[in-house]
Amino acid sequence: MLVFHTVVPKSTPAYRYTKSSARLISRSGTFGTAKTLTSDGRVPRVDTRPAARFRVVWQQESYPYTIRSVTGP
């Protein structure tokens, strides 16, 4: 799994937001379709379990800056 974030400009304060996305990578090395995890997140981190399930954890960029996560294939 590849997780990345993109800074996207906008016209209202704080003038940008960070969109976190993920893509699965097959055993042959091909990339799957990008899936948006959040449009309000930063510092995404990935972990996996032996059952091949991934967990992505990130901090919400806007107040109250909570920690969010999602689990998937």
Side-chain angles (χ1 to χ4, degrees):
M1 174 176 278
L2 170 70
V3 175
F4 55 95
H5 63 272
T6 308
V7 176
V8 180
K10 65 180 184 178
S11 60
T12 57
Y15 303 108
R16 65 180 179 82
Y17 70 89
T18 303
K19 179 175 84 170
S20 295
S21 304
R23 292 179 86 163
L24 289 177
I25 304 171
S26 72
R27 291 180 190 265
S28 65
T30 58
F31 289 96
T33 304
K35 177 181 177 183
T36 299
L37 301 174
T38 181
S39 62
D40 185 23
R42 63 188 190 106
V43 292
R45 300 289 186 256
V46 180
D47 193 16
T48 188
R49 299 185 304 184
R53 305 237 343 139
F54 291 97
R55 176 164 299 222
V56 180
V57 179
W58 65 90
Q59 182 180 11
Q60 184 177 325
E61 189 172 35
S62 60
Y63 183 82
Y65 315 114
T66 55
I67 303 298
R68 305 279 181 169
S69 70
V70 64
T71 301

